[in-house]
Amino acid sequence: MKDRPATLVLSGGGGKGAFQVGAEKVLREVHGFRWERVFGVSVGALNAAVIAQHEYERLTSLWLNLRESDIYRKFPWLVVALRIGLLNKLGFYDNTPLRDLVERNLSGRPFAIPAHVGRVSLTSGQYEVVSSDASDFTAAVWQSATMPVIWEPIGQHAIVDGGLRNVTPLGDALAYAPTEIVVIACSSSRIEPMRYPSNILDVARRSLTDITLNEILMNDVDVFVRINDMVRQAHEQGTTLLAPEGKPYVYCRITVIEPTAPMGDTLDFSPEMTRMRMRHGEDRARAIMRPTGVGPGERMPPRIAAQLEPVLHS
């Protein structure tokens, strides 16, 4: 099997992160990808960290045994109202179980390759990348996976999900001049329909994790594809495009793998959904990596076809 060095980029998506586990396994075991470094935000931060430790079996076991209670404490609506109204809590639920899960799976374990995760401060509004050699990396993974409103911001700088500003950290990856980039997104470019919201949590989850973050994700990828096409055309005309600082842009092949089947509720961590998402990740990786990129009877979306072209970096 041919060795294929690449940088892996993992998006956010809550329980949909199981899709990434299935897709990554096929890319590595079947197609020979060898990750040089891994980037992730939100649930992609957790997956990225364990992958960077080369603990693949532990990552699969973690997801197959994951339960809602391992991620957050869910309260009745009366308790939620008391927490927000009387205790001035800034989130519906408590995600300290997620902190414990992250610490159990990351603390004290060596990293085989560099991992990078993103987090956002609500006080400064800034996005920050934290690398696996940082002393607060484990905390940063938890912070990166903390969805605002659903869970409370963390610390004096009110740190939350890195996906709030950077759903797919492509820009972070390009800064390291990667050989090739593979992006595994947890959501499709087409937003899944949903029943009428039954409560304020449904409204918050739908607005933040489904619609807003999906739009950021699609814009992130589409911008790279669009710029890449401009650079390709310029190259065909014998012209080199330069970055603002004067460095020439160069090509970097990119492949994007995303679901085509409904991925369900972001906060659904049921065993049945986890297994379905993992299987679908495996199927999509196999389909995209075929020579045509299209499986039997499957039509490749135009945007995905474009993403198989190289993307530039400076």
Side-chain angles (χ1 to χ4, degrees):
M1 182 169 54
K2 184 179 178 181
D3 180 65
R4 187 170 175 178
T7 290
L8 180 62
V9 177
L10 303 175
S11 77
K16 302 173 187 178
F19 175 87
Q20 295 174 340
V21 179
E24 188 276 337
K25 180 179 180 180
V26 168
L27 293 172
R28 176 173 40 82
E29 294 184 354
V30 178
H31 296 283
F33 278 93
R34 173 177 57 82
W35 310 122
E36 298 174 303
R37 59 181 69 239
V38 192
F39 293 81
V41 293
S42 194
V43 70
L46 174 59
N47 287 340
V50 182
I51 289 170
Q53 294 176 342
H54 284 182
E55 294 281 359
Y56 305 114
E57 291 184 6
R58 182 160 53 84
L59 181 61
T60 299
S61 176
L62 187 159
W63 276 97
L64 290 177
N65 292 284
L66 195 64
R67 300 295 181 269
E68 182 182 90
S69 58
D70 296 320
I71 305 299
Y72 66 104
R73 294 189 182 95
K74 197 171 185 178
F75 305 116
W77 280 111
L78 179 58
V79 175
V80 171
L82 290 173
R83 281 168 53 84
I84 294 174
L86 296 182
L87 301 179
N88 198 33
K89 295 291 185 180
L90 301 179
F92 292 130
Y93 301 136
D94 174 17
N95 77 331
T96 52
L98 175 60
R99 178 194 62 193
D100 298 337
L101 178 76
V102 170
E103 289 180 349
R104 284 197 310 273
N105 283 276
L106 298 184
S107 294
R109 300 176 187 268
F111 288 87
I113 58 172
H116 311 266
V117 303
R119 61 187 178 187
V120 170
S121 165
L122 292 182
T123 58
S124 69
Q126 298 302 306
Y127 174 86
E128 179 187 17
V129 179
V130 182
S131 300
S132 50
D133 57 358
S135 60
D136 64 340
F137 179 76
T138 299
V141 172
W142 174 46
Q143 293 162 351
S144 181
T146 297
M147 290 184 285
V149 181
I150 309 300
W151 299 316
E152 283 196 281
I154 300 168
Q156 62 179 342
H157 298 294
I159 305 296
V160 296
D161 192 336
L164 195 61
R165 289 201 58 172
N166 204 3
V167 179
T168 300
L170 272 167
D172 302 340
L174 289 170
Y176 288 84
T179 306
E180 178 178 356
I181 292 179
V182 175
V183 177
I184 306 179
C186 292
S187 302
S188 168
S189 56
R190 295 177 293 276
I191 297 177
E192 300 169 16
M194 173 186 157
R195 57 176 171 74
Y196 191 87
S198 61
N199 53 56
I200 192 171
L201 176 60
D202 283 349
V203 173
R205 189 165 53 211
R206 180 65 168 170
S207 302
L208 286 171
T209 64
D210 288 346
I211 298 176
T212 301
L213 297 187
N214 181 274
E215 182 67 17
I216 296 172
L217 166 64
M218 294 305 111
N219 286 342
D220 280 356
V221 175
D222 286 344
V223 164
F224 283 108
V225 172
R226 201 160 49 243
I227 295 175
N228 172 70
D229 190 54
M230 294 168 55
V231 174
R232 178 184 58 78
Q233 293 180 50
H235 179 73
E236 290 173 352
Q237 298 299 319
T239 302
T240 299
L241 297 185
L242 302 178
E245 67 274 17
K247 294 172 60 178
Y249 285 117
V250 296
Y251 288 116
C252 178
R253 181 179 175 83
I254 181 171
T255 301
V256 178
I257 298 174
E258 65 180 23
T260 55
M263 288 287 98
D265 191 332
T266 300
L267 293 181
D268 185 349
F269 295 93
S270 64
E272 298 77 19
M273 285 301 295
T274 294
R275 286 178 170 79
M276 182 279 290
R277 290 160 174 164
M278 291 177 69
R279 287 194 301 269
H280 189 50
E282 294 174 1
D283 292 341
R284 291 302 299 150
R286 291 190 183 97
I288 292 297
M289 295 309 299
R290 289 193 180 106
T292 60
V294 182
E298 178 183 17
R299 181 176 178 271
M300 179 187 289
R303 193 178 66 82
I304 296 299
Q307 289 165 350
L308 297 178
E309 295 292 328
V311 169
L312 64 112
H313 62 77
S314 60

Short mmCIF file of all heavy atoms in Angstrom, two decimals, residues 139-197:
data_model
loop_
_atom_site.label_atom_id
_atom_site.label_comp_id
_atom_site.label_asym_id
_atom_site.label_seq_id
_atom_site.Cartn_x
_atom_site.Cartn_y
_atom_site.Cartn_z
N ALA A 139 -6.89 21.10 28.15
CA ALA A 139 -7.97 22.04 28.46
C ALA A 139 -8.52 22.67 27.19
O ALA A 139 -9.73 22.89 27.05
CB ALA A 139 -7.47 23.13 29.41
N ALA A 140 -7.63 22.95 26.23
CA ALA A 140 -8.05 23.57 24.98
C ALA A 140 -8.97 22.66 24.17
O ALA A 140 -9.89 23.13 23.49
CB ALA A 140 -6.83 23.96 24.14
N VAL A 141 -8.74 21.35 24.24
CA VAL A 141 -9.62 20.41 23.54
C VAL A 141 -11.03 20.48 24.11
O VAL A 141 -12.02 20.54 23.37
CB VAL A 141 -9.06 18.97 23.63
CG1 VAL A 141 -10.07 17.96 23.08
CG2 VAL A 141 -7.74 18.85 22.89
N TRP A 142 -11.13 20.49 25.44
CA TRP A 142 -12.45 20.62 26.08
C TRP A 142 -13.10 21.96 25.70
O TRP A 142 -14.28 22.01 25.35
CB TRP A 142 -12.29 20.51 27.60
CG TRP A 142 -13.54 20.78 28.38
CD1 TRP A 142 -14.79 20.29 28.12
CD2 TRP A 142 -13.68 21.62 29.54
NE1 TRP A 142 -15.69 20.75 29.06
CE2 TRP A 142 -15.05 21.57 29.94
CE3 TRP A 142 -12.79 22.38 30.28
CZ2 TRP A 142 -15.52 22.27 31.04
CZ3 TRP A 142 -13.27 23.07 31.40
CH2 TRP A 142 -14.62 23.02 31.76
N GLN A 143 -12.32 23.02 25.77
CA GLN A 143 -12.85 24.35 25.45
C GLN A 143 -13.33 24.41 24.00
O GLN A 143 -14.38 24.98 23.70
CB GLN A 143 -11.78 25.40 25.71
CG GLN A 143 -11.43 25.54 27.18
CD GLN A 143 -10.10 26.24 27.41
OE1 GLN A 143 -9.33 26.48 26.47
NE2 GLN A 143 -9.80 26.55 28.66
N SER A 144 -12.56 23.81 23.10
CA SER A 144 -12.92 23.84 21.69
C SER A 144 -14.24 23.12 21.42
O SER A 144 -14.94 23.46 20.47
CB SER A 144 -11.81 23.19 20.86
OG SER A 144 -12.11 23.22 19.48
N ALA A 145 -14.57 22.15 22.26
CA ALA A 145 -15.79 21.36 22.07
C ALA A 145 -16.97 21.90 22.88
O ALA A 145 -18.02 21.23 22.95
CB ALA A 145 -15.52 19.91 22.44
N THR A 146 -16.83 23.06 23.48
CA THR A 146 -17.90 23.63 24.31
C THR A 146 -18.80 24.54 23.47
O THR A 146 -18.44 25.68 23.16
CB THR A 146 -17.30 24.42 25.48
OG1 THR A 146 -16.56 23.52 26.33
CG2 THR A 146 -18.38 25.09 26.32
N MET A 147 -19.96 24.04 23.09
CA MET A 147 -20.88 24.81 22.26
C MET A 147 -21.53 25.92 23.07
O MET A 147 -22.12 25.66 24.12
CB MET A 147 -21.97 23.89 21.69
CG MET A 147 -21.46 22.92 20.65
SD MET A 147 -22.78 21.93 19.90
CE MET A 147 -23.11 20.77 21.24
N PRO A 148 -21.43 27.18 22.60
CA PRO A 148 -22.03 28.29 23.35
C PRO A 148 -23.54 28.15 23.45
O PRO A 148 -24.18 27.57 22.58
CB PRO A 148 -21.62 29.51 22.53
CG PRO A 148 -21.37 28.99 21.16
CD PRO A 148 -20.82 27.61 21.35
N VAL A 149 -24.10 28.67 24.51
CA VAL A 149 -25.53 28.65 24.84
C VAL A 149 -25.93 27.26 25.35
O VAL A 149 -26.57 27.15 26.40
CB VAL A 149 -26.44 29.05 23.66
CG1 VAL A 149 -27.91 29.03 24.08
CG2 VAL A 149 -26.06 30.43 23.13
N ILE A 150 -25.56 26.21 24.63
CA ILE A 150 -25.88 24.87 25.10
C ILE A 150 -25.14 24.60 26.41
O ILE A 150 -25.72 24.10 27.38
CB ILE A 150 -25.49 23.80 24.06
CG1 ILE A 150 -26.06 24.14 22.68
CG2 ILE A 150 -25.94 22.42 24.51
CD1 ILE A 150 -27.55 24.23 22.63
N TRP A 151 -23.85 24.95 26.44
CA TRP A 151 -23.02 24.80 27.64
C TRP A 151 -22.38 26.13 28.00
O TRP A 151 -22.28 27.03 27.17
CB TRP A 151 -21.93 23.74 27.39
CG TRP A 151 -22.47 22.40 27.07
CD1 TRP A 151 -23.51 21.77 27.71
CD2 TRP A 151 -22.05 21.50 26.04
NE1 TRP A 151 -23.75 20.54 27.14
CE2 TRP A 151 -22.87 20.34 26.11
CE3 TRP A 151 -21.05 21.55 25.07
CZ2 TRP A 151 -22.71 19.27 25.24
CZ3 TRP A 151 -20.90 20.48 24.20
CH2 TRP A 151 -21.73 19.35 24.30
N GLU A 152 -21.94 26.25 29.22
CA GLU A 152 -21.37 27.51 29.70
C GLU A 152 -19.99 27.79 29.12
O GLU A 152 -19.17 26.87 28.97
CB GLU A 152 -21.24 27.47 31.22
CG GLU A 152 -22.53 27.70 31.97
CD GLU A 152 -22.25 28.03 33.43
OE1 GLU A 152 -21.98 27.10 34.19
OE2 GLU A 152 -22.28 29.22 33.78
N PRO A 153 -19.70 29.05 28.79
CA PRO A 153 -18.32 29.41 28.43
C PRO A 153 -17.37 29.10 29.58
O PRO A 153 -17.78 29.08 30.75
CB PRO A 153 -18.41 30.92 28.17
CG PRO A 153 -19.86 31.18 27.91
CD PRO A 153 -20.61 30.18 28.73
N ILE A 154 -16.09 28.90 29.28
CA ILE A 154 -15.12 28.44 30.27
C ILE A 154 -14.12 29.53 30.62
O ILE A 154 -13.53 30.16 29.74
CB ILE A 154 -14.37 27.20 29.74
CG1 ILE A 154 -15.36 26.07 29.45
CG2 ILE A 154 -13.31 26.74 30.74
CD1 ILE A 154 -14.76 24.93 28.66
N GLY A 155 -13.94 29.75 31.94
CA GLY A 155 -12.88 30.64 32.42
C GLY A 155 -13.19 32.12 32.29
O GLY A 155 -14.24 32.52 31.80
N GLN A 156 -12.20 32.93 32.71
CA GLN A 156 -12.40 34.38 32.75
C GLN A 156 -12.49 35.02 31.36
O GLN A 156 -12.99 36.13 31.20
CB GLN A 156 -11.24 35.03 33.53
CG GLN A 156 -9.87 34.82 32.91
CD GLN A 156 -8.77 35.51 33.69
OE1 GLN A 156 -9.04 36.40 34.50
NE2 GLN A 156 -7.52 35.12 33.46
N HIS A 157 -12.00 34.30 30.35
CA HIS A 157 -12.08 34.82 28.98
C HIS A 157 -13.26 34.23 28.21
O HIS A 157 -13.39 34.46 27.01
CB HIS A 157 -10.77 34.54 28.24
CG HIS A 157 -9.58 35.22 28.85
ND1 HIS A 157 -9.43 36.59 28.87
CD2 HIS A 157 -8.49 34.70 29.49
CE1 HIS A 157 -8.29 36.90 29.48
NE2 HIS A 157 -7.71 35.77 29.87
N ALA A 158 -14.10 33.48 28.90
CA ALA A 158 -15.31 32.90 28.30
C ALA A 158 -14.98 32.15 27.02
O ALA A 158 -15.44 32.48 25.92
CB ALA A 158 -16.35 33.99 28.04
N ILE A 159 -14.19 31.08 27.15
CA ILE A 159 -13.74 30.31 25.99
C ILE A 159 -14.82 29.33 25.55
O ILE A 159 -15.45 28.66 26.37
CB ILE A 159 -12.45 29.52 26.32
CG1 ILE A 159 -11.37 30.47 26.84
CG2 ILE A 159 -11.96 28.76 25.10
CD1 ILE A 159 -10.90 31.50 25.85
N VAL A 160 -15.03 29.26 24.24
CA VAL A 160 -16.04 28.36 23.68
C VAL A 160 -15.52 27.69 22.41
O VAL A 160 -14.36 27.88 22.01
CB VAL A 160 -17.36 29.11 23.36
CG1 VAL A 160 -18.01 29.64 24.62
CG2 VAL A 160 -17.09 30.23 22.35
N ASP A 161 -16.40 26.95 21.78
CA ASP A 161 -16.18 26.18 20.56
C ASP A 161 -15.40 26.97 19.49
O ASP A 161 -15.83 28.05 19.07
CB ASP A 161 -17.56 25.80 20.01
CG ASP A 161 -17.52 24.77 18.91
OD1 ASP A 161 -16.50 24.66 18.23
OD2 ASP A 161 -18.54 24.09 18.74
N GLY A 162 -14.28 26.40 19.03
CA GLY A 162 -13.51 27.04 17.98
C GLY A 162 -14.27 27.16 16.68
O GLY A 162 -13.97 28.01 15.84
N GLY A 163 -15.28 26.29 16.50
CA GLY A 163 -16.07 26.33 15.28
C GLY A 163 -16.91 27.58 15.14
O GLY A 163 -17.45 27.85 14.07
N LEU A 164 -17.01 28.36 16.21
CA LEU A 164 -17.79 29.60 16.15
C LEU A 164 -17.22 30.56 15.12
O LEU A 164 -17.93 31.33 14.50
CB LEU A 164 -17.80 30.27 17.53
CG LEU A 164 -18.83 31.36 17.78
CD1 LEU A 164 -20.25 30.82 17.62
CD2 LEU A 164 -18.66 31.96 19.17
N ARG A 165 -15.89 30.48 14.91
CA ARG A 165 -15.26 31.34 13.90
C ARG A 165 -14.55 30.57 12.80
O ARG A 165 -14.21 31.13 11.77
CB ARG A 165 -14.24 32.28 14.57
CG ARG A 165 -14.85 33.35 15.41
CD ARG A 165 -13.90 34.51 15.61
NE ARG A 165 -13.49 35.10 14.35
CZ ARG A 165 -12.78 36.23 14.28
NH1 ARG A 165 -12.41 36.86 15.37
NH2 ARG A 165 -12.43 36.71 13.11
N ASN A 166 -14.30 29.27 13.05
CA ASN A 166 -13.46 28.52 12.11
C ASN A 166 -13.91 27.07 12.11
O ASN A 166 -13.24 26.21 12.68
CB ASN A 166 -12.00 28.63 12.55
CG ASN A 166 -11.03 28.42 11.41
OD1 ASN A 166 -11.42 28.25 10.27
ND2 ASN A 166 -9.76 28.41 11.73
N VAL A 167 -15.01 26.76 11.46
CA VAL A 167 -15.59 25.43 11.53
C VAL A 167 -14.65 24.38 10.96
O VAL A 167 -14.51 23.29 11.48
CB VAL A 167 -16.95 25.38 10.79
CG1 VAL A 167 -17.53 23.97 10.84
CG2 VAL A 167 -17.92 26.35 11.44
N THR A 168 -13.97 24.73 9.87
CA THR A 168 -12.97 23.83 9.28
C THR A 168 -11.65 24.59 9.22
O THR A 168 -11.51 25.49 8.38
CB THR A 168 -13.39 23.40 7.85
OG1 THR A 168 -14.65 22.72 7.94
CG2 THR A 168 -12.38 22.45 7.26
N PRO A 169 -10.71 24.28 10.08
CA PRO A 169 -9.48 25.09 10.19
C PRO A 169 -8.50 24.89 9.04
O PRO A 169 -7.34 24.53 9.22
CB PRO A 169 -8.89 24.62 11.52
CG PRO A 169 -9.39 23.22 11.69
CD PRO A 169 -10.76 23.21 11.08
N LEU A 170 -8.97 25.16 7.82
CA LEU A 170 -8.11 25.03 6.65
C LEU A 170 -6.97 26.04 6.66
O LEU A 170 -5.83 25.72 6.31
CB LEU A 170 -8.95 25.21 5.38
CG LEU A 170 -9.62 23.98 4.79
CD1 LEU A 170 -10.64 24.39 3.74
CD2 LEU A 170 -8.60 23.05 4.20
N GLY A 171 -7.29 27.27 7.05
CA GLY A 171 -6.25 28.30 7.09
C GLY A 171 -5.13 27.94 8.04
O GLY A 171 -3.95 28.19 7.76
N ASP A 172 -5.49 27.33 9.18
CA ASP A 172 -4.47 26.89 10.13
C ASP A 172 -3.54 25.87 9.48
O ASP A 172 -2.32 25.92 9.65
CB ASP A 172 -5.13 26.26 11.36
CG ASP A 172 -6.08 27.20 12.07
OD1 ASP A 172 -5.97 28.42 11.86
OD2 ASP A 172 -6.94 26.71 12.83
N ALA A 173 -4.12 24.94 8.73
CA ALA A 173 -3.33 23.88 8.11
C ALA A 173 -2.41 24.42 7.01
O ALA A 173 -1.26 24.01 6.89
CB ALA A 173 -4.26 22.82 7.52
N LEU A 174 -2.91 25.35 6.23
CA LEU A 174 -2.12 25.88 5.12
C LEU A 174 -0.88 26.62 5.60
O LEU A 174 0.12 26.72 4.88
CB LEU A 174 -2.99 26.81 4.27
CG LEU A 174 -4.07 26.12 3.44
CD1 LEU A 174 -5.01 27.14 2.83
CD2 LEU A 174 -3.45 25.25 2.37
N ALA A 175 -0.91 27.13 6.81
CA ALA A 175 0.24 27.85 7.35
C ALA A 175 1.47 26.95 7.51
O ALA A 175 2.59 27.43 7.63
CB ALA A 175 -0.12 28.47 8.70
N TYR A 176 1.25 25.62 7.50
CA TYR A 176 2.36 24.67 7.68
C TYR A 176 2.81 24.04 6.36
O TYR A 176 3.52 23.03 6.37
CB TYR A 176 1.94 23.58 8.67
CG TYR A 176 1.86 24.07 10.09
CD1 TYR A 176 0.71 24.70 10.56
CD2 TYR A 176 2.93 23.91 10.97
CE1 TYR A 176 0.62 25.16 11.86
CE2 TYR A 176 2.86 24.37 12.28
CZ TYR A 176 1.70 24.99 12.71
OH TYR A 176 1.62 25.45 14.01
N ALA A 177 2.43 24.63 5.23
CA ALA A 177 2.84 24.15 3.91
C ALA A 177 2.65 22.64 3.77
O ALA A 177 3.61 21.90 3.55
CB ALA A 177 4.29 24.53 3.63
N PRO A 178 1.43 22.15 3.89
CA PRO A 178 1.19 20.70 3.85
C PRO A 178 1.46 20.08 2.49
O PRO A 178 1.34 20.75 1.45
CB PRO A 178 -0.29 20.58 4.22
CG PRO A 178 -0.88 21.88 3.76
CD PRO A 178 0.17 22.91 4.03
N THR A 179 1.80 18.81 2.49
CA THR A 179 1.97 18.06 1.25
C THR A 179 0.64 17.92 0.52
O THR A 179 0.56 18.06 -0.70
CB THR A 179 2.54 16.66 1.55
OG1 THR A 179 3.74 16.80 2.32
CG2 THR A 179 2.84 15.90 0.27
N GLU A 180 -0.39 17.64 1.27
CA GLU A 180 -1.74 17.44 0.76
C GLU A 180 -2.68 17.63 1.94
O GLU A 180 -2.29 17.45 3.10
CB GLU A 180 -1.89 16.03 0.18
CG GLU A 180 -3.26 15.69 -0.35
CD GLU A 180 -3.35 14.30 -0.97
OE1 GLU A 180 -2.31 13.62 -1.06
OE2 GLU A 180 -4.47 13.90 -1.35
N ILE A 181 -3.93 18.00 1.69
CA ILE A 181 -4.90 18.20 2.77
C ILE A 181 -6.12 17.31 2.53
O ILE A 181 -6.62 17.20 1.40
CB ILE A 181 -5.36 19.67 2.88
CG1 ILE A 181 -4.21 20.56 3.37
CG2 ILE A 181 -6.55 19.81 3.81
CD1 ILE A 181 -4.58 22.03 3.47
N VAL A 182 -6.58 16.68 3.60
CA VAL A 182 -7.85 15.97 3.58
C VAL A 182 -8.75 16.60 4.64
O VAL A 182 -8.35 16.71 5.80
CB VAL A 182 -7.68 14.47 3.87
CG1 VAL A 182 -9.04 13.79 3.96
CG2 VAL A 182 -6.83 13.80 2.79
N VAL A 183 -9.93 17.02 4.25
CA VAL A 183 -10.92 17.59 5.16
C VAL A 183 -12.04 16.57 5.35
O VAL A 183 -12.59 16.07 4.36
CB VAL A 183 -11.50 18.90 4.62
CG1 VAL A 183 -12.59 19.42 5.56
CG2 VAL A 183 -10.42 19.94 4.43
N ILE A 184 -12.36 16.25 6.60
CA ILE A 184 -13.52 15.40 6.88
C ILE A 184 -14.54 16.26 7.63
O ILE A 184 -14.32 16.63 8.79
CB ILE A 184 -13.17 14.15 7.70
CG1 ILE A 184 -12.04 13.36 7.02
CG2 ILE A 184 -14.40 13.27 7.85
CD1 ILE A 184 -11.62 12.12 7.80
N ALA A 185 -15.60 16.60 6.94
CA ALA A 185 -16.67 17.41 7.54
C ALA A 185 -17.73 16.50 8.12
O ALA A 185 -17.95 15.38 7.65
CB ALA A 185 -17.28 18.31 6.47
N CYS A 186 -18.40 16.96 9.16
CA CYS A 186 -19.44 16.16 9.82
C CYS A 186 -20.82 16.41 9.23
O CYS A 186 -21.75 15.66 9.51
CB CYS A 186 -19.49 16.48 11.31
SG CYS A 186 -18.04 15.94 12.23
N SER A 187 -20.95 17.47 8.45
CA SER A 187 -22.26 17.84 7.92
C SER A 187 -22.19 17.96 6.41
O SER A 187 -21.15 18.30 5.85
CB SER A 187 -22.73 19.17 8.52
OG SER A 187 -22.80 19.10 9.92
N SER A 188 -23.32 17.73 5.78
CA SER A 188 -23.42 17.88 4.34
C SER A 188 -23.53 19.35 3.97
O SER A 188 -23.90 20.19 4.78
CB SER A 188 -24.66 17.12 3.83
OG SER A 188 -24.94 17.47 2.50
N SER A 189 -23.20 19.65 2.71
CA SER A 189 -23.37 21.03 2.23
C SER A 189 -24.85 21.40 2.14
O SER A 189 -25.19 22.57 2.11
CB SER A 189 -22.72 21.18 0.85
OG SER A 189 -23.23 20.23 -0.05
N ARG A 190 -25.70 20.39 2.14
CA ARG A 190 -27.15 20.63 2.13
C ARG A 190 -27.69 20.44 3.54
O ARG A 190 -27.58 19.36 4.12
CB ARG A 190 -27.84 19.67 1.16
CG ARG A 190 -27.47 19.87 -0.29
CD ARG A 190 -28.14 18.85 -1.19
NE ARG A 190 -27.63 17.51 -0.93
CZ ARG A 190 -26.52 17.03 -1.48
NH1 ARG A 190 -25.78 17.78 -2.27
NH2 ARG A 190 -26.11 15.79 -1.22
N ILE A 191 -28.29 21.48 4.10
CA ILE A 191 -28.81 21.43 5.46
C ILE A 191 -30.01 20.49 5.53
O ILE A 191 -30.94 20.58 4.71
CB ILE A 191 -29.21 22.83 5.95
CG1 ILE A 191 -27.97 23.74 5.99
CG2 ILE A 191 -29.84 22.76 7.34
CD1 ILE A 191 -28.26 25.17 6.38
N GLU A 192 -29.99 19.60 6.51
CA GLU A 192 -31.07 18.63 6.65
C GLU A 192 -32.33 19.32 7.18
O GLU A 192 -32.26 20.20 8.04
CB GLU A 192 -30.66 17.54 7.64
CG GLU A 192 -29.42 16.77 7.21
CD GLU A 192 -28.89 15.89 8.33
OE1 GLU A 192 -29.64 15.65 9.31
OE2 GLU A 192 -27.73 15.45 8.25
N PRO A 193 -33.52 18.94 6.67
CA PRO A 193 -34.77 19.51 7.21
C PRO A 193 -35.01 19.04 8.64
O PRO A 193 -34.49 18.00 9.06
CB PRO A 193 -35.84 18.98 6.26
CG PRO A 193 -35.24 17.74 5.67
CD PRO A 193 -33.77 17.98 5.58
N MET A 194 -35.79 19.79 9.37
CA MET A 194 -36.06 19.48 10.77
C MET A 194 -37.51 19.82 11.08
O MET A 194 -38.09 20.73 10.48
CB MET A 194 -35.11 20.29 11.66
CG MET A 194 -35.38 20.21 13.14
SD MET A 194 -34.31 21.34 14.09
CE MET A 194 -35.29 21.52 15.58
N ARG A 195 -38.08 19.09 12.02
CA ARG A 195 -39.46 19.39 12.45
C ARG A 195 -39.49 20.77 13.13
O ARG A 195 -38.44 21.33 13.49
CB ARG A 195 -39.93 18.33 13.44
CG ARG A 195 -39.04 18.20 14.66
CD ARG A 195 -39.58 17.21 15.67
NE ARG A 195 -38.62 16.95 16.72
CZ ARG A 195 -38.31 17.78 17.70
NH1 ARG A 195 -38.90 18.96 17.77
NH2 ARG A 195 -37.43 17.44 18.63
N TYR A 196 -40.68 21.30 13.33
CA TYR A 196 -40.83 22.60 13.99
C TYR A 196 -40.22 22.53 15.40
O TYR A 196 -40.45 21.56 16.12
CB TYR A 196 -42.30 22.97 14.09
CG TYR A 196 -42.55 24.40 14.51
CD1 TYR A 196 -42.59 25.42 13.57
CD2 TYR A 196 -42.70 24.72 15.85
CE1 TYR A 196 -42.79 26.74 13.95
CE2 TYR A 196 -42.90 26.04 16.25
CZ TYR A 196 -42.95 27.04 15.30
OH TYR A 196 -43.14 28.34 15.68
N PRO A 197 -39.41 23.53 15.81
CA PRO A 197 -38.77 23.48 17.13
C PRO A 197 -39.80 23.36 18.24
O PRO A 197 -40.84 24.02 18.23
CB PRO A 197 -38.03 24.83 17.21
CG PRO A 197 -37.87 25.27 15.81
CD PRO A 197 -39.05 24.74 15.06
#
